[in-house]
Amino acid sequence: MGDASTVLTAAEARHLLQRSGFGATPAAVAKIVSRGDTRGTAVDRILGFAPKKFQPGGKGKDPSLQESHDKWIAFMLKAKFPLQEKLVLFWHDHFATSNAKVGNVAQMAQQNLLLRLFCKGNFRDFVKAMTKNPAMMEFLDTVRSGRHHPNENYARELQELFTLGVLDSAGNPNYTQDDIVQIARAFSGWRYDDKGVAFLDPDHHDFMADFPERGPKTIFTTRGGFGSGGRSFAANGEGAAEIDTVIDILFAHTDTDGKSTIARRMARRLLEYFAHADPDLAVIDDVVQASGFAATWDVGALVRAILVHDAFYETAVTPPFGPTTKKSVTWPIDYVVSTLRVLNVKPVGKHRDDLRVEGGDSIRNRLGDMGQSLFEPPSVFGWDWETAWISSATLLARFAFVRDVVGARVKGKSGFHPEKLIDVKLTNPGAIVDAVTDLLGVGDQLTSGERDVLIAYLTDGGLQPTIDLTNPDVLNVKLHGLFALVLESPAYQLH
Amino acid sequence: MAITRRQFLKRSGAVSAAALLGPSLFTNPFVRRALADTIGDRYLVVLFLDGGNDGLNTVVPVDDGGGSLRTAYEAARLTGTGGLRLTPSDLGTTLIGADPNTGSQLGLHPGCTGFKQLYDAGKLAVIQGCGYPDYSLSHDQSRAIWMAGDPSTPGGAAGWVGKHLAANYVGSEIPAVCISDRIAGELRQSTTSVLAVGRLRDLGFPYDDVSGDDLAAKRAAVAALYDTAGSGTQSTIRYIGESGTATLLASESYPALDDLYVTDRSAFNDAYDTVNRSTARDLREIAKMIYGVKQGAANVHARFFQLANGGYDTHSDQGAADPAGQHYGLHKEVGDSLKVFYDDLADMGVADKVCLVVWSEFSRRVPQNDSGTDHGSQGPMFVIGGAVTGGVYGNHPNIDPAALDDNGNTVYSQAAGGFRSTDFRDVYGTILKHWLNVPAPTILSSVLPVDGGDPDTQWTAPNFDMGFLT
Amino acid sequence: MLAAVAIIAATARPAAAITVGGGGGARTDCLAVFQAPVNTPASHPRSIVCADGDPTCDADGVVNGVCAIAIAVCANSTFSPMCTLAGVQSITIAHARDDGDPKFDPAMQALQQRVQSEIDPPTSTTGLCTSPTTLRVPIRGPFGNGMCKPRKAVVDMVTLSTVIDGAVYRDADRLRVRCEPAPDGCTAQALFSGTFDRIQRQIFDQSCAVSGCHDSQSRAGDLLLEPGAAYTNLVDAAPANLNANAAGWKRVHVLDATTGDPDTSLLLQKLLGPPAGFGARMPFNRRPLDRALIDVVELWIAAGAPQTGWVPGTD
């Protein structure tokens, strides 16, 4: 059992860097180990960034989806604090908004900036800001909601997906259809101006309505721990403040166990993201407790509590793997960005061309084939995680990307140069395999059988007892091939 | 698992180990037969007409019969430059049955000669006026609704065929293939593998192929790594292992179907080339897989296919009966391609085993614009197959100017009476029930949930016995 | 309907199609090329400058305010001895997807569709061409001074090669088209069949029912201004704007068959710049319409907004 004061081993340091960022180079791991960092000090350093005001596509411009996409990828590739982008990706999935419906890349880029500014900020303020975000208002029809027919889309997803969840930990519903209807009334009439600033158009808002039968709005009369009276807010007069009142009420919602519903749910989601599917309730309560999230709504504190918790280090276990071992499938974006960063391959994208590995297909195409088109999540539910990432089509897309990367045999930073990544003076096949698998962060994740497969490949089934990597033919075939195999291996699809 | 080294073929753009694998792989235990007890030896093909096909110029009223469809048609579709009106003589050689409601004689677009031949053979069901309540005029939204078979949720990432696949197949199987770079919405789900491939001969495991000499060693290593993972006890690792093994074997087995088909069925291979359009070539890829399954090719178990043809968004320059027109060309392409495909299947002896459904995300505006048509609402679907009972099903939408909504589009109605619309979910449901043997309660609970609300304007009373399949 | 059309049509001959590389280096130029009736500059034609009705370039051969330019695409062309590459992986026409792209153009979509269906990349077959599709470029006008102006259009195409000797080549092609009014070809009577037809084609089709606005894909404000929908969406229809609605306005306020009230017709007021609370001026974020065109709308409404025929002063 460890905690924030536990000194990180090399394996743990690597795991921390991989999961909180994009890949872990041996140099970065060595730095943590040589400093003798504890979990706490390492995590504080990783989290110690001030969110950058980066907006893919720029302000005031009318970027294409391809441009914005590529700018975001380029930003991830050189991010000094990759946890920031890891969190932005989490929020992009959490507040899933697709340009397929929004149809306005500038608004998508503006939302992306919002995700970044709040990525480790106050979650309650984040939800309030997202509620008034133009892309979200388009995506979930807030702009099409008026007092005569309040549109329930946002009111539903706000509760089901963005905050409470459908059911609490005990399996009881967190809200009712009537709560959706009442909250939809409160949100009616919100529009945004041509600068993207939301405002309440009183003509379309409920409180101006001369429908006396509507009366004051009352929500959560049966759920949320508010007692049989529920929580009411004024029938007339609150106007623009009503929307924040509703969100404040949501954040006071408690579940069957009397715990904060939102705190538990967000802790669960972040644990699923950073660690593995199906975290224990005890772990969830641990990190909520340790972070004070239920009172402060400080996402950064919650993330810190997760990254120093034992449960986070669970998926780093080494073979043998059994039925209770926890493993998690890497997201396509993580797969692509980590690989390029660790292998130091810089994609090219001159002029109007799409960003691509030199000689390969466009990265956006490759990611789309892998099942993750940024700015275009498949639905408001975001992407399906874990084994849903894996299908014949998506595996072939991952392997095609690997071919692009190891096939980039060009000079300069846009090419793949394995001779600069490992010591070519190594001749022992096992040592070469270890160097490559360590570099790619799976050295301790392979079974001895899998390691033997790689050695057999390198030695042509034992025919070559030593390997001369200074021979260009051997380097071009076998070393490139070995990198490809490791990138294609089941272990590299996991973390 | 020991795999002996074999020679590998190099192909344009990709490398595959096609056709040269030994018997040990042909009996690989990871690859199971498709679930024969679910659908027997049947196949389902879904063909999407992308862009919104103009239904009014696809199934056209030739006369008024006992109503006024032709009169209304002529008011909406004009003559002269840019005019889209199809005259009775244009339609003379592609007549089909009468509209069940008005008795109006119907004709297919003159480009639909292939469809007409299938109709005359009794193998084409024309289902008029298919739509859904509160229609969307957005391509994306309407397409998503049709693909999911569910207008109610903004999400619903799984497709209507995908939901069926997820319930019946597991991770190590590849029951479906999409003739495309990406998995189409109809097939989307997250339980079993779907292959997306444009041309089978180009499918291959994407090895880095700098020399070609090393491929056998690479192949052996990949196979061994995934084999090891697939035999593990940790469920995620095992799933990846099984999927990877199935993918590797498929990447080697499917390309071989190309050679097999071209060798064995050269006359039909040429017939698709004669049509010389992408729909014909896409259907030929499906024919190759069906032929492969029939010949017992190893590791090939696909039963569900999706393909699409684009270009139906004919806002301008749509064309009427002139063979050089856009819409004519689209109908000619798809009809001729389907005719060759059907004949090919019949010659293989499997026409009775294949059901093909054609859909589009919406029809087009009843009144034409300058030279084309804008987005509309209900349109016709087609169902084709040896086991299909051909004929005209469903009512022609009411195109009387007074009956259109403010957007100039036909109105969806489930109210009893002459112009009752067909909901597209009744067509899907009939296929699920009578072709895939899914019980109606299962269809309703897991694939096609009914709407709530007003039974005259919403889909509350499904009919999965439309009659074109029994 | 189109009064002046028949005169030149009698002598129309098919537009001549010339193969043109259109841009990029000489070595890659042949991966994909346009076939179009290029005529400018005369020495080595690369662009099209076409007078409405000129049968050598306008495929409809009639003075109707629109140049119909027949354009085809060919892959792996053999037109230039400088270029011997063969192997096309993909051909992408810009603005061919109706996905909210503000520059979406159905003609580009039609061209892309023909490429997919008839060339069906990837292919290395030489000289493989699509059938021609028609790019319709309308002239601009007539404006208040009775003048018309030319309109320009551009077709952009990007072609990627298959891997040829280890490299992928990129060929970017651009075809410029300029449609000029015919001499004496700038009268409303000649170009349109009636007042509403003029409003539809000169105002709605060009400034309102465009991608991202009041077209079927976007349907901004639940208002469709496409042909077949615009009239019923407007005339005697209640506005969505609550203030206008409460004030008893209509989108087009018709009093009887020959009288309407422009002052309480939101369509006209939106073009002029509406009162506070009645929404933004239209076209949104664009320059206001030519005053003479707004006058056409006003006269049309005052005359009871007839669906056919000419309202005096609007021709």
Side-chain angles (χ1 to χ4, degrees):
Chain A
M1 294 295 283
D3 56 27
S5 62
T6 305
V7 175
L8 288 166
T9 66
E12 286 167 343
R14 198 192 57 240
H15 179 71
L16 174 64
L17 290 171
Q18 281 175 341
R19 295 306 301 262
S20 71
F22 300 107
T25 59
V29 173
K31 208 164 168 185
I32 290 177
V33 173
S34 69
R35 275 197 304 249
D37 281 355
T38 63
R39 290 179 189 177
T41 52
V43 171
D44 286 340
R45 194 173 283 115
I46 287 167
L47 257 171
F49 60 88
K52 264 194 126 167
K53 280 192 181 169
F54 168 72
Q55 176 171 329
K59 282 184 178 168
K61 288 184 188 156
D62 200 4
S64 72
L65 192 54
Q66 182 76 47
E67 283 172 88
S68 280
H69 182 278
D70 287 355
K71 283 193 170 146
W72 191 10
I73 299 282
F75 188 75
M76 287 185 226
L77 285 171
K78 59 181 197 307
K80 232 172 148 182
F81 290 97
L83 176 56
Q84 174 180 284
E85 295 315 299
K86 265 296 187 50
L87 284 166
V88 173
L89 286 163
F90 172 82
W91 294 119
H92 183 33
D93 178 86
H94 183 78
F95 292 111
T97 304
S98 172
N99 191 56
K101 177 165 177 185
V102 175
N104 184 326
V105 180
Q107 285 178 356
M108 296 301 295
Q110 187 196 21
Q111 186 190 61
N112 187 268
L113 172 63
L114 183 71
L115 300 176
R116 192 163 288 104
L117 295 180
F118 275 103
C119 71
K120 58 167 189 169
N122 182 300
F123 184 59
R124 190 171 57 190
D125 293 345
F126 194 0
V127 172
K128 288 177 181 175
M130 186 56 72
T131 302
K132 297 174 186 174
N133 173 261
M136 180 59 82
M137 291 169 77
E138 289 285 348
F139 188 63
L140 290 180
D141 302 312
T142 304
V143 293
R144 284 168 278 278
S145 181
R147 59 180 170 177
H148 297 290
H149 300 285
N151 188 305
E152 294 171 8
N153 254 356
Y154 188 75
R156 178 184 305 107
E157 307 310 353
L158 171 68
Q159 297 178 83
E160 173 178 344
L161 300 173
F162 303 155
T163 59
L164 304 173
V166 179
L167 304 176
D168 68 12
S169 307
N172 295 316
N174 283 325
Y175 57 91
T176 65
Q177 174 61 26
D178 192 52
D179 297 327
I180 295 175
V181 173
Q182 298 305 316
I183 290 176
R185 286 175 58 201
F187 288 178
S188 58
W190 279 87
R191 305 290 183 264
Y192 60 85
D193 63 21
D194 51 9
K195 291 190 178 63
V197 177
F199 65 93
L200 183 70
D201 181 346
D203 292 349
H204 296 280
H205 182 59
D206 189 70
F207 88 98
M208 291 278 285
D210 34 17
F211 291 102
E213 75 275 14
R214 286 191 171 174
K217 305 175 185 75
T218 303
I219 53 175
F220 299 133
T221 53
T222 57
R223 307 282 164 209
F226 296 100
S228 59
R231 283 290 280 273
S232 300
F233 45 105
N236 294 297
E238 273 206 67
E242 229 173 305
I243 195 165
D244 288 349
T245 305
V246 167
I247 290 168
D248 287 336
I249 295 171
L250 285 178
F251 274 78
H253 190 289
T254 53
D255 64 11
T256 310
D257 301 337
K259 303 266 191 180
S260 165
T261 313
I262 290 181
R264 274 185 160 181
R265 175 143 187 283
M266 293 316 297
R268 174 185 295 280
R269 294 271 299 163
L270 283 161
L271 276 162
E272 286 169 350
Y273 181 64
F274 284 111
H276 55 76
D278 206 21
D280 290 342
L281 190 57
V283 174
I284 291 168
D285 286 341
D286 264 6
V287 296
V288 170
Q289 170 72 28
S291 63
F293 184 65
T296 64
W297 307 114
D298 181 344
V299 174
L302 181 58
V303 170
R304 184 184 192 276
I306 288 169
L307 297 184
V308 301
H309 198 280
D310 281 338
F312 169 73
Y313 295 90
E314 217 174 336
T315 63
V317 293
T318 53
F321 303 129
T324 57
T325 304
K326 306 286 191 189
K327 286 288 167 193
S328 179
V329 179
T330 54
W331 288 22
I333 183 69
D334 198 352
Y335 185 77
V336 165
V337 175
S338 296
T339 301
L340 293 174
R341 279 175 69 118
V342 170
L343 298 184
N344 203 25
V345 173
K346 306 259 190 293
V348 293
K350 291 175 201 120
H351 310 301
R352 287 185 293 168
D353 285 348
D354 306 346
L355 196 69
R356 64 183 69 238
V357 173
E358 187 88 56
D361 196 0
S362 112
I363 287 177
R364 181 163 167 241
N365 279 350
R366 288 285 185 234
L367 276 168
D369 292 346
M370 291 179 207
Q372 191 166 29
S373 297
L374 299 180
F375 298 117
E376 295 174 302
S379 77
V380 69
F381 299 96
W383 286 278
D384 288 338
W385 300 0
E386 300 297 344
T387 54
W389 291 120
I390 302 296
S391 165
S392 290
T394 55
L395 275 177
L396 287 172
R398 286 181 182 223
F399 302 157
F401 171 73
V402 169
R403 180 176 58 183
D404 287 352
V405 172
V406 302
R409 291 180 174 79
V410 289
K411 287 181 180 157
K413 285 182 174 172
S414 61
F416 170 59
H417 303 291
E419 71 279 7
K420 294 181 183 163
L421 299 168
I422 68 158
D423 181 2
V424 290
K425 290 197 230 35
L426 290 173
T427 56
N428 177 291
I432 294 170
V433 165
D434 292 343
V436 171
T437 55
D438 282 348
L439 176 73
L440 290 172
V442 293
D444 64 358
Q445 293 295 305
L446 298 175
T447 62
S448 61
E450 287 169 324
R451 184 171 175 274
D452 289 345
V453 169
L454 296 173
I455 291 172
Y457 164 75
L458 201 56
T459 59
D460 281 327
L463 292 175
Q464 317 288 339
T466 62
I467 305 295
D468 178 11
L469 293 178
T470 60
N471 176 342
D473 287 341
V474 175
L475 182 123
N476 255 319
V477 175
K478 284 296 183 185
L479 189 57
H480 278 74
L482 179 61
F483 269 94
L485 279 175
V486 177
L487 295 171
E488 287 159 0
S489 67
Y492 192 75
Q493 319 307 314
L494 296 164
H495 51 205
Chain B
M1 185 168 81
I3 296 175
T4 48
R5 187 182 297 191
R6 295 174 201 283
Q7 190 188 350
F8 285 75
L9 286 178
K10 188 169 183 183
R11 291 170 189 270
S12 60
V15 174
S16 84
L20 296 169
L21 302 164
S24 66
L25 278 170
F26 284 5
T27 54
N28 189 293
F30 293 103
V31 183
R32 304 170 204 174
R33 301 293 293 177
L35 290 184
D37 50 344
T38 306
I39 60 166
D41 48 0
R42 292 174 174 178
Y43 303 86
L44 176 65
V45 185
V46 181
L47 167 55
F48 169 37
L49 308 183
D50 190 350
N53 174 45
D54 182 16
L56 189 52
N57 264 20
T58 301
V59 181
V60 188
V62 181
D63 61 29
D64 274 341
S68 58
L69 285 176
R70 180 68 197 181
T71 305
Y73 174 80
E74 294 193 353
R77 300 299 167 93
L78 311 176
T79 55
T81 308
L84 300 182
R85 184 183 301 170
L86 297 166
T87 67
S89 81
D90 292 338
L91 299 161
T93 57
T94 45
L95 297 177
I96 55 171
D99 175 37
N101 170 33
T102 64
S104 179
Q105 169 66 49
L106 299 169
L108 298 175
H109 188 286
C112 293
T113 47
F115 284 104
K116 165 69 173 167
Q117 288 169 309
L118 290 167
Y119 185 88
D120 288 346
K123 304 304 178 193
L124 168 66
V126 176
I127 304 153
Q128 301 193 92
C130 300
Y132 59 93
D134 306 321
Y135 68 100
S136 168
L137 288 177
S138 152
H139 292 292
D140 315 301
Q141 289 175 36
S142 200
R143 185 168 53 215
I145 286 166
W146 279 79
M147 286 177 163
D150 183 0
S152 67
T153 68
W160 71 278
V161 181
K163 288 179 231 177
H164 174 74
L165 297 178
N168 290 286
Y169 299 87
V170 298
S172 60
E173 294 171 303
I174 304 179
V177 177
C178 195
I179 310 300
S180 165
D181 300 340
R182 301 267 173 90
I183 295 172
E186 294 103 312
L187 300 178
R188 199 179 298 137
Q189 39 75 42
S190 55
T191 305
T192 184
S193 266
V194 175
L195 208 52
V197 55
R199 294 290 174 262
L200 295 175
R201 65 169 182 270
D202 295 334
L203 180 67
F205 197 90
Y207 300 105
D208 177 42
D209 54 352
V210 64
S211 74
D213 297 343
D214 195 48
L215 286 173
K218 287 195 174 82
R219 196 256 172 221
V222 169
L225 288 171
Y226 276 89
D227 185 35
T228 307
S231 58
T233 56
Q234 203 280 340
S235 62
T236 307
I237 296 174
R238 191 174 65 242
Y239 181 87
I240 289 184
E242 289 179 352
S243 294
T245 301
T247 303
L248 176 64
L249 296 181
S251 74
E252 294 165 350
S253 302
Y254 278 76
L257 303 179
D258 187 73
D259 285 342
L260 179 68
Y261 181 89
V262 171
T263 306
D264 287 7
R265 303 191 63 75
S266 64
F268 278 99
N269 189 51
D270 294 346
Y272 291 102
D273 279 336
T274 305
V275 179
N276 196 24
R277 289 287 182 272
S278 57
T279 304
R281 299 187 190 102
D282 288 354
L283 284 168
R284 180 167 58 189
E285 298 304 305
I286 295 172
K288 287 170 187 171
M289 289 183 266
I290 292 175
Y291 184 68
V293 175
K294 188 173 168 291
Q295 297 301 105
N299 308 321
V300 178
H301 310 290
R303 293 277 169 185
F304 299 83
F305 306 96
Q306 195 271 2
L307 74 164
N309 189 43
Y312 292 85
D313 197 16
T314 50
H315 287 282
S316 70
D317 201 22
Q318 179 173 321
D322 177 0
Q326 273 194 83
H327 204 220
Y328 189 105
L330 292 164
H331 282 325
K332 181 89 179 132
E333 165 173 4
V334 172
D336 288 1
S337 305
L338 286 171
K339 178 64 168 59
V340 171
F341 182 62
Y342 184 85
D343 290 346
D344 189 4
L345 298 174
D347 187 74
M348 288 182 211
V350 295
D352 288 354
K353 306 295 184 189
V354 180
C355 175
L356 184 146
V357 56
V358 185
W359 68 279
S360 189
E361 72 266 38
F362 39 62
S363 181
R364 307 195 74 80
R365 189 81 31 86
V366 174
Q368 71 165 90
N369 64 31
D370 224 21
S371 63
T373 47
D374 299 310
H375 302 185
S377 49
Q378 295 92 41
M381 297 174 74
F382 297 113
V383 180
I384 295 162
V388 168
T389 307
V392 175
Y393 297 82
N395 303 314
H396 196 284
N398 190 353
I399 56 171
D400 190 89
L404 303 179
D405 66 17
D406 275 353
N407 292 330
N409 293 327
T410 58
V411 174
Y412 175 94
S413 167
Q414 288 288 295
F419 285 106
R420 184 180 183 277
S421 307
T422 299
D423 196 288
F424 75 90
R425 289 165 287 183
D426 284 337
V427 179
Y428 287 179
T430 299
I431 292 168
L432 287 163
K433 179 176 172 185
H434 293 282
W435 191 247
L436 305 179
N437 296 329
V438 184
T442 309
I443 299 173
L444 291 169
S445 63
S446 62
V447 186
L448 305 169
V450 291
D451 303 333
D454 183 350
D456 284 354
T457 60
Q458 303 290 317
W459 186 64
T460 60
N463 170 19
F464 296 156
D465 303 295
M466 290 193 66
F468 56 83
L469 285 168
T470 48
Chain C
M1 300 234 301
L2 300 170
V5 299
I7 304 158
I8 303 177
T11 59
R13 61 187 168 80
I18 295 175
T19 300
V20 55
R27 187 138 184 251
T28 60
D29 225 9
C30 57
L31 282 173
V33 298
F34 292 112
Q35 274 189 348
V38 291
N39 53 18
T40 307
S43 54
H44 53 291
R46 276 178 289 125
S47 306
I48 301 167
V49 175
C50 186
D52 178 22
D54 176 352
T56 65
C57 49
D58 182 355
D60 62 27
V62 296
V63 178
N64 58 356
V66 177
C67 296
I69 311 291
I71 299 172
V73 170
C74 301
N76 303 315
S77 172
T78 53
F79 85 108
S80 163
M82 303 265 293
C83 172
T84 53
L85 292 176
V88 165
Q89 181 67 35
S90 69
I91 299 176
T92 308
I93 313 284
H95 312 305
R97 288 183 60 195
D98 191 2
D99 58 358
D101 175 357
K103 293 181 181 166
F104 165 69
D105 184 336
M108 303 306 153
Q109 187 178 47
L111 193 56
Q112 180 78 60
Q113 152 61 13
R114 292 191 179 209
V115 166
Q116 296 313 116
S117 178
E118 299 174 28
I119 293 180
D120 195 15
T123 178
S124 55
T125 308
T126 53
L128 196 56
C129 296
T130 68
S131 51
T133 188
T134 309
L135 173 65
R136 300 169 66 84
V137 184
I139 59 169
R140 296 164 60 217
F143 297 110
N145 53 9
M147 299 290 282
C148 291
K149 292 179 183 172
R151 186 187 299 271
K152 293 177 195 166
V154 168
V155 187
D156 276 319
M157 171 169 73
V158 172
T159 308
L160 294 176
S161 76
T162 53
V163 179
I164 301 171
D165 297 334
V168 173
Y169 296 88
R170 182 177 185 277
D171 177 17
D173 294 296
R174 167 168 284 193
L175 183 67
R176 296 170 195 276
V177 181
R178 179 179 154 105
C179 179
E180 301 193 321
D184 308 322
C186 185
T187 63
Q189 292 269 11
L191 301 181
F192 308 109
S193 67
T195 305
F196 182 68
D197 185 50
R198 179 176 181 188
I199 292 171
Q200 179 71 56
R201 295 211 273 162
Q202 198 180 346
I203 302 177
F204 296 163
D205 287 0
Q206 293 177 25
S207 304
C208 313
V210 294
S211 190
C213 303
H214 299 290
D215 70 326
S216 355
Q217 176 70 7
S218 299
R219 216 154 59 105
D222 278 342
L223 173 62
L224 256 181
L225 291 177
E226 289 169 339
Y231 193 83
T232 46
N233 260 266
L234 288 171
V235 175
D236 211 28
N241 183 288
L242 291 171
N243 291 329
N245 201 6
W249 288 27
K250 297 288 169 76
R251 283 171 171 165
V252 168
H253 199 167
V254 174
L255 303 174
D256 61 43
T258 56
T259 329
D261 181 13
D263 292 344
T264 56
S265 292
L266 192 59
L267 171 69
L268 178 69
Q269 300 306 321
K270 289 282 246 185
L271 295 174
L272 290 167
F278 284 50
R281 181 189 59 74
M282 294 289 151
F284 190 63
N285 276 349
R286 292 194 190 192
R287 283 169 45 192
L289 289 184
D290 186 76
R291 181 69 218 197
L293 280 180
I294 299 180
D295 290 344
V296 168
V297 175
E298 179 163 2
L299 287 168
W300 172 70
I301 294 173
Q307 192 160 12
T308 55
W310 285 102
V311 171
T314 64
D315 53 354

